[in-house]
Amino acid sequence: MRFATNRAMTSRLYTIACAFGLFASLASAASLTGPRLLVVLEGQDEKANYSQFFGDLEERGYQLKFESPKSESLSLFTHGEREYDNVILFPPKSKGYGPNLTPQLLLQFANQAGNLLLLTSPSSTPEQTREFARELEISLPPRDFSLVDHFNYDTLSAPSKHDVVLVPRPKASSSTQNYFSDSDSKSDVIAFRGVGHTLGNGPLLNPILTAGRTSYAYDTKEDATYAEDPWSVGSQLHLVSALQARNNARITVSGSAEIFSDEFFGMKVKAQGSNKKVEVANRVFAKEVTGWTFKETGVVKVVGIRHYLTSGVDAPINPSMYRIKNHVTFEIELSEYSNDQWNPYLVPSDDALQLEFTMLDPYYRLPLLPSTFSLNSTTFTTSFKIPDQHGVFAFRVNYKRPFITNVDEKYTVTVRHFAHDEYTRSWDISGAWVWMAGIAVTVAGWVAFCAVWLWSAPVAGKSKGKKSQ
């Protein structure tokens, strides 16, 4: 009777928990950082130009708050804590964003794990944006520089200027295939009008959308000499780039704000030499870019880590000490967050997840292979023999790849030498049998010699006396 009552109570609690979880999922955004989104935009007329873009964000659960760049009430922090989880900065019409959006404050916002989407334009990119981009090792062109491509442009909207450039979406074989190349999209063309930028050698920078080989950036005020002295050309120009900081904060810089506008969302383009109009994929691409920037996709977390003796039946999990030459098994469980749910993480076929067993330098670097799968995670496992070296070692998984959160886990253990009673006895070593037999023969020979010497009396000799004179 008591069991039935407890079972019914458990069922009610489970139903309440499921209902609460469903309500929480509906009330919050898919972003792991949070739903609070600040949109810095100047003018209500500009807001109407991006109604579809903002509508898509609201449908995904974001709480949008619009502020003017120089509003006195605008503040990224309250009592030292982030006021917002994500920020979108549109290019202002004035010369700057004001004192509340300085590069130092934007960097502080990123240092507190806030996410930023920075939009630029050829004619209205303030110096604050350029200074902030330089901190990220991103070089923006001077004012009034624009991107053109005389071979890949829209013949309908830009028949003479060639500034509406048609760029193919990232290919499925690239590193961006999981997050910026939706296989369900009907179009593989993105219409772009704006300006490109160049990237430094920082390991945290990754391009998302790159200009074509025949494109270049030039000064629109110096049309007569644009072909002789372009600012940058070809694939050196990147149109949309991303930076993921070491604390996993995400910053995306786009060379155009218009690609997120209603005009470009519903645009139909016709490439040079083609008679067919095609729809652009700007709306889907905008969803993918904002989804990655605000941590809706590409988030990998460590569910659990276990290491133990391989041969031990009742071996403890995660002990603090091992012995040299022990056989050890290491397991790490990873889960990937994508579009409001946790899924098992799958390592790409051309990549490898590795374990380092290090003291000062790695003694071993071993591949971690998937062993078991659950509903929400994948367990990767490897086994190895601890080297014949005692000291303080560490299990380390340092997995850092473009467009996914960094996985850097380190667990320290002590490796001791053999105890006195743990060394292998001589009679268990077949190679020592010859030497042991030699010792036994030597001892037996010595005992035999002593016995013969002790029990063998000397022979009595005849005495020969001398006559006395």
Side-chain angles (χ1 to χ4, degrees), residues 154-361:
D154 179 25
T155 59
L156 299 178
S157 59
S160 58
K161 291 186 176 181
H162 303 172
D163 57 349
V164 178
V165 180
L166 303 182
V167 186
R169 300 184 63 193
K171 295 182 180 180
S173 60
S174 67
S175 60
T176 61
Q177 58 177 337
N178 294 330
Y179 311 112
F180 306 103
S181 182
D182 187 4
S183 59
D184 296 333
S185 177
K186 298 180 180 179
S187 175
D188 291 328
V189 177
I190 297 173
F192 181 92
R193 180 165 60 195
V195 65
H197 50 263
T198 59
L199 303 181
N201 297 323
L204 306 178
L205 288 169
N206 291 286
I208 297 176
L209 199 64
T210 303
R213 293 173 53 251
T214 55
S215 60
Y216 59 90
Y218 77 103
D219 189 356
T220 55
K221 292 185 177 180
E222 300 291 340
D223 285 341
T225 59
Y226 68 85
E228 299 179 2
D229 189 22
W231 183 73
S232 185
V233 298
S235 57
Q236 296 178 350
L237 282 166
H238 301 287
L239 310 182
V240 181
S241 301
L243 180 142
Q244 182 166 255
R246 301 189 189 279
N247 64 345
N248 290 322
R250 294 177 174 180
I251 303 173
T252 301
V253 177
S254 173
S256 171
E258 287 186 90
I259 63 173
F260 302 107
S261 65
D262 296 345
E263 177 187 357
F264 277 70
F265 276 7
M267 180 180 289
K268 290 186 177 181
V269 297
K270 186 171 69 172
Q272 183 187 19
S274 175
N275 297 324
K276 183 180 179 181
K277 294 181 181 180
V278 296
E279 295 182 358
V280 297
N282 285 43
R283 188 168 187 174
V284 179
F285 183 71
K287 179 182 178 181
E288 294 165 350
V289 169
T290 55
W292 181 87
T293 306
F294 302 150
K295 290 185 180 177
E296 296 180 43
T297 58
V299 179
V300 177
K301 76 171 182 178
V302 179
V303 179
I305 288 180
R306 295 174 293 275
H307 53 85
Y308 51 88
L309 291 173
T310 304
S311 58
V313 179
D314 297 326
I317 303 298
N318 300 339
S320 60
M321 183 178 293
Y322 289 101
R323 194 206 67 204
I324 59 174
K325 297 185 178 182
N326 273 150
H327 289 272
V328 177
T329 298
F330 179 86
E331 298 177 352
I332 183 169
E333 192 175 354
L334 298 180
S335 183
E336 180 181 10
Y337 185 79
S338 179
N339 298 324
D340 203 19
Q341 62 180 351
W342 290 100
N343 302 311
Y345 179 68
L346 302 177
V347 177
S349 58
D350 57 348
D351 196 6
L353 180 67
Q354 293 180 329
L355 167 69
E356 294 180 352
F357 192 64
T358 66
M359 193 156 62
L360 291 176
D361 295 320

Side-chain angles (χ1 to χ4, degrees), residues 324 359 363 386-393 414-418:
I324 59 174
M359 193 156 62
Y363 272 66
I386 292 180
D388 191 3
Q389 174 66 49
H390 65 276
V392 179
F393 282 78
T414 302
V415 177
R416 63 176 178 85
H417 52 69
F418 281 100

